[in-house]
């Protein structure tokens, strides 16, 4: 078959390779298609100077070849529905025609122009670059895909509750995380624990305060049997509406969750009312969290100071150290009848020991392996219910990365001080004398660590000279304290402290969130005396630039942080005496 026959539309032997033209400028082949059958003129640099065109052998200089470029058969068609004219056969025919008219040299040139040029081989360097880019691309895509799948899984595990607060996952200030453990029984193997009909009460509650500079943290346990007040609680309903559940006075703390349909937001508000500490986020888990997390880290080490045999929690341990996980770990944190006084306060000490040991295990080993980390993440997210502010895997990761800066030996566990309730021996009441200064320490971001109150050199600050009571001259105004606070304070200063030059100046022109004392440089000794009486923090002291006149008084403005004269506004720098507290890094704690 001649060249004309091979170029017919009905023939199946058209070579697709002829549709690709080598571009010497880029070193690559380009697909050239022309639906009209007429290709553009070829660039002048594609032929040697002086070469004649196959169609116009008489023309000289440059490339004037206007032969049609090859078309892709079966894709580009003319108006009659047939393949457009042109192709390999047409080019060869034109080349032969040019050869007959112009001679062998021109024919050879035309044939060379119509044939596909050989593809140049890549250099070894280019092959390496292409191969490396392909591998890196694959790894990146595979890695991103895996991360995406993991995030999707973790996001699907997390349950969240809208409590009406949308706080960001990361903040520049202190962080207060409310950790709630419920007595709900949602999984298999929970028989024997809690109330089988319980909707999930606040069985274990820890207010975790992380300092602004992330150098220390305080984990404050709140007894479930503490008698307190529960404020009104707006809760989101399944239909999207909000229902306000009325508050209650003088009831057990654990009824702040579950009872009357209360959600974690109710426990959140109860803790804020009780402690005066603003909560940022909450995490809630049921019995399964202890079992699953302890399994994920291959067990948690605990210590028993004596043999334990508790038929109610089913815990049996000989004296000494043990590694517990699963059901045994849950039994350990649920045990109370066989340790201490048999009360919930004794159980709190076991829970603090367990959590401290769990944190040590996580920091020492669980995060060293990606697979182990994933196991922990899966177990934790499946057990957690959180607020919407940290209600995704990415937000939880940001939150965790922010809090992990705290050193383990700077985490202190403490229990809210309580007294036996004279009205009901099964409950307890707040020991206000110890609890108030403890709450103030958390409110004012003071650490409970043993070296608190000392400067970097390990020594306490030098005392400041103080003026005698009869020389303390001050005007007292109420800028946010309780009604009548100014007069009550003046009475206290005059009758209890001997400050006869104190005066009630009425209400302040502005409301202040914190109490403030303004004084002149020559009144520093008076300010030191008054600050000590009132328990004012350094932040409350505002010194002016010029000295005051002989009879000009200092100005004390009582802010919203003022409660009553004689009740210090400044938090103590050391843990109040009698408050139970232990360090999370203490490995020598044993249940007795």
């Amino acid at each position: 078959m001649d060249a004309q026959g091979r170029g017919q539309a009905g023939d199946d032997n058209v070579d697709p390779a002829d549709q690709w033209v080598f571009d010497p400028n880029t070193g690559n082949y380009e697909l050239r298609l022309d639906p009209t059958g007429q290709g553009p003129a070829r660039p002048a640099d594609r032929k040697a100077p002086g070469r004649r065109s196959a169609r116009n052998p008489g023309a000289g200089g440059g490339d004037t070849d206007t032969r049609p470029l090859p078309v892709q058969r079966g894709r580009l068609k003319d108006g009659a529905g047939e393949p457009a004219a042109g192709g390999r056969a047409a080019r060869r025919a034109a080349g032969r025609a040019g050869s007959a008219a112009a001679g062998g040299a021109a024919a050879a040139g035309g044939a060379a122009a119509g044939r596909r040029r050989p593809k140049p081989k890549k250099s070894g360097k280019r092959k390496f670059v292409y191969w490396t880019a392909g591998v890196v691309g694959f790894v990146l895509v595979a890695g991103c895909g895996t991360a995406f799948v993991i995030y999707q899984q973790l996001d699907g595990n997390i349950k969240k509750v809208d409590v009406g607060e949308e706080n960001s996952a990361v903040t520049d200030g202190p962080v207060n995380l409310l950790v709630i453990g419920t007595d709900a029984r949602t999984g298999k193997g929970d028989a024997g624990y809690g109330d089988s009909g319980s909707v999930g009460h606040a069985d274990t509650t820890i207010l975790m305060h992380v300092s602004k500079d992330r150098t220390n943290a305080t984990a404050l346990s709140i007894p479930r049997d503490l008698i307190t007040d529960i404020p009104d609680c707006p809760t989101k309903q399944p239909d999207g509406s909000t229902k306000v559940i009325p508050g209650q006075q003088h009831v057990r703390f654990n009824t702040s969750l579950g009872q009357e349909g209360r959600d974690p937001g109710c426990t959140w508000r109860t803790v804020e009312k009780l402690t005066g500490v603003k909560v940022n986020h909450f995490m809630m888990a049921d019995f399964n969290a202890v079992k699953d997390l302890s399994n994920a880290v291959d067990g948690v080490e605990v210590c028993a100071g004596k043999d334990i045999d508790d038929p109610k929690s089913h815990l049996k341990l000989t004296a000494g150290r043990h590694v517990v996980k699963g059901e045994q770990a849950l039994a350990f944190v649920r045990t109370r009848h066989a340790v201490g006084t048999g009360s919930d306060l004794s159980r709190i000490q076991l829970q603090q020991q367990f959590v401290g040991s769990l944190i040590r295990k996580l920091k020492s080993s669980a995060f060293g392996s990606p697979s182990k980390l994933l196991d922990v993440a899966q177990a934790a997210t499946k057990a957690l219910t959180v607020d919407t502010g940290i209600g995704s895997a990415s937000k939880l990761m940001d939150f965790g990365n922010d809090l992990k800066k705290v050193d383990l030996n700077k985490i202190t566990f403490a229990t809210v001080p309580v007294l036996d309730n004279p009205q009901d021996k099964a409950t307890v009441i707040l020991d206000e004398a110890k609890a108030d200064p403890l709450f103030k320490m958390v409110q004012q971001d003071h650490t409970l660590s043993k070296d608190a109150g000392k400067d970097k050199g390990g020594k306490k600050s030098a005392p400041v000279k103080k003026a005698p009571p009869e020389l303390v001259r001050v005007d007292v105004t109420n800028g946010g304290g309780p009604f009548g606070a100014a007069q009550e304070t003046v009475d206290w200063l005059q009758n209890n402290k001997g400050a006869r030059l104190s005066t009630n100046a009425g209400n302040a022109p502005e409301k202040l969130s914190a109490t403030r004392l303004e004084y002149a440089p020559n009144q520093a000794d008076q300010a030191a005396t008054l600050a000590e009486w009132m328990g004012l923090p350094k932040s409350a002291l505002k010194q002016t630039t010029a000295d005051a006149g002989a009879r000009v008084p200092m100005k004390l403005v009582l802010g919203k942080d003022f409660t009553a004269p004689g009740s210090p506004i400044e938090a103590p720098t050391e843990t109040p005496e009698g408050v139970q507290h232990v360090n999370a890094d203490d490995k020598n704690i044993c249940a007795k």
Side-chain angles (χ1 to χ4, degrees):
M1 181 179 293
D2 60 14
Q4 286 288 71
R6 291 179 63 196
Q8 298 301 314
D11 190 84
D12 293 330
N13 295 321
V14 176
D15 188 352
D18 285 333
Q19 301 170 9
W20 295 86
V21 178
F22 179 73
D23 186 345
N25 295 323
T26 63
N28 296 322
Y29 283 90
E30 298 179 356
L31 181 63
R32 299 286 181 86
L33 301 176
D34 187 87
T36 64
Q38 297 296 325
R42 298 176 186 270
D45 61 353
R46 293 196 181 182
K47 286 192 177 182
R51 182 175 294 175
R52 298 175 183 272
S53 170
R55 286 199 172 189
N56 189 5
D63 184 4
T64 58
D65 186 2
T66 58
R67 292 173 296 171
L69 291 173
V71 297
Q72 190 171 5
R73 183 174 181 273
R75 290 190 181 181
L76 299 177
K77 297 186 178 183
D78 57 17
E82 294 296 330
R88 183 178 181 184
R91 291 201 312 276
R92 288 186 177 180
R96 288 180 182 178
S99 176
R115 291 195 186 98
R116 182 179 65 177
R117 296 184 184 182
K119 184 176 181 180
K121 294 182 179 180
K122 294 186 180 73
S123 66
K125 181 179 180 180
R126 178 170 291 181
K127 283 183 178 179
F128 174 76
V129 171
Y130 284 176
W131 182 85
T132 303
V135 171
V136 171
F138 174 78
V139 171
L140 287 176
V141 172
C144 291
T146 303
F148 177 76
V149 170
I150 292 174
Y151 267 108
Q152 288 288 88
Q153 290 177 349
L154 297 181
D155 277 338
N157 293 342
I158 300 170
K159 299 176 286 296
K160 52 190 174 184
V161 174
D162 183 357
V163 296
E165 297 280 354
E166 189 67 31
N167 298 323
S168 61
V170 179
T171 178
D172 292 334
V175 176
N176 296 303
L177 171 67
L178 187 63
V179 181
I180 306 171
T182 77
D183 57 3
R185 293 177 4 184
T186 58
K188 295 180 179 180
D190 288 335
Y193 301 110
D195 179 4
S196 61
S198 173
V199 294
H201 298 111
D203 193 56
T204 300
T205 305
I206 299 175
L207 177 61
M208 175 72 76
H209 169 81
V210 181
S211 66
K212 179 179 179 179
D213 59 9
R214 305 297 187 262
T215 61
N216 63 87
T218 297
L220 196 59
S221 295
I222 302 175
R224 67 172 190 176
D225 296 325
L226 173 65
I227 297 299
T228 189
D229 295 340
I230 301 175
D232 292 346
C233 179
T235 60
K236 290 284 186 179
Q237 303 301 303
D239 61 0
S241 63
T242 299
K243 176 184 178 182
V244 177
I245 300 176
Q248 288 182 283
Q249 287 72 46
H250 308 297
V251 294
R252 289 178 187 253
F253 174 85
N254 70 338
T255 59
S256 63
L257 178 68
Q259 200 81 5
E260 307 296 334
R262 296 188 177 99
D263 66 7
C266 298
T267 306
W268 179 317
R269 291 173 176 83
T270 303
V271 170
E272 288 186 338
K273 181 177 178 63
L274 173 68
T275 64
V277 176
K278 181 69 175 177
V279 176
N280 299 97
H281 301 287
F282 86 86
M283 291 182 179
M284 181 175 70
D286 58 20
F287 287 152
N288 291 321
V290 174
K291 295 191 296 184
D292 294 343
L293 277 173
S294 60
N295 283 330
V297 299
D298 296 328
V300 175
E301 184 181 73
V302 297
C303 179
K306 62 178 183 179
D307 293 346
I308 298 176
D309 186 359
D310 189 345
K312 293 197 174 183
S313 69
H314 310 295
L315 178 67
K316 290 185 178 182
L317 288 178
T318 58
R321 297 189 178 276
H322 303 269
V323 175
V324 297
K325 60 181 179 179
E327 291 287 347
Q328 191 178 33
L330 178 58
F332 183 83
V333 300
R334 294 294 303 151
T335 289
R336 65 185 177 96
H337 295 287
V339 295
T341 60
S343 67
D344 184 53
L345 299 177
S346 298
R347 177 167 58 184
I348 285 176
Q349 295 178 15
L350 293 183
Q351 293 169 349
Q352 292 174 348
Q353 181 194 156
F354 179 87
V355 173
S357 183
L358 175 60
I359 294 175
R360 291 196 299 272
K361 184 66 175 287
L362 288 171
K363 280 186 172 285
S364 65
S365 62
F367 292 154
S369 163
S371 61
K372 182 62 64 177
L373 178 60
L374 180 58
D375 289 343
V376 174
Q378 290 278 16
T381 52
K382 285 179 180 178
L384 284 180
T385 299
V386 300
D387 61 282
T388 52
I390 51 174
S392 69
S394 60
K395 290 180 180 179
L396 272 177
M397 179 175 289
D398 292 340
F399 184 66
N401 284 335
D402 182 38
L403 302 192
K404 74 178 184 181
K405 303 171 187 176
V406 181
D407 290 336
L408 185 60
N409 61 355
K410 295 295 183 180
I411 301 176
T412 305
F413 288 95
T415 303
V416 171
V418 294
L419 300 169
D420 290 336
N421 185 0
Q423 306 298 325
D424 179 6
K425 294 298 183 182
T427 61
V428 292
I429 58 176
L430 194 66
D431 185 348
E432 296 184 4
K434 297 176 182 177
D436 286 348
L438 178 62
F439 293 156
K440 279 188 170 66
M441 291 187 73
V442 178
Q443 293 165 12
Q444 297 181 25
D445 201 20
H446 288 198
T447 178
L448 270 64
S449 60
K450 297 178 181 179
D451 58 352
K454 297 181 180 180
D455 58 22
K456 294 181 179 179
K459 297 179 181 180
K460 293 185 178 181
S461 302
V464 180
K465 181 181 178 181
K466 299 181 179 66
E470 63 273 13
L471 295 183
V472 176
R473 187 186 298 269
V474 61
D475 281 351
V476 182
T477 58
N478 190 352
F483 179 78
Q487 185 59 50
E488 185 181 2
T489 300
V490 169
D491 291 342
W492 179 78
L493 288 173
Q494 293 184 356
N495 299 326
N496 293 66
K497 297 299 181 180
R500 302 296 181 184
L501 299 179
S502 56
T503 305
N504 178 6
N507 292 325
E510 60 177 337
K511 298 294 183 180
L512 299 180
S513 59
T515 298
R516 183 175 66 199
L517 174 62
E518 295 181 5
Y519 65 97
N522 60 338
Q523 296 172 326
D525 56 344
Q526 297 181 51
T529 300
L530 185 60
E532 182 180 58
W533 290 343
M534 300 289 295
L536 299 179
K538 290 182 179 179
S539 59
L541 305 182
K542 307 297 180 183
Q543 180 175 292
T544 60
T545 56
D547 285 346
R551 299 194 176 199
V552 176
M554 299 182 294
K555 296 180 180 179
L556 176 64
V557 184
L558 305 177
K560 293 180 180 179
D561 58 349
F562 177 81
T563 55
S567 178
I569 295 175
E570 182 183 25
T573 55
E574 296 182 358
T575 307
E577 186 177 352
V579 175
Q580 176 271 333
H581 64 291
V582 296
N583 193 278
D585 201 28
D586 190 347
K587 302 177 182 179
N588 299 317
I589 303 173
C590 288
K592 297 179 180 179

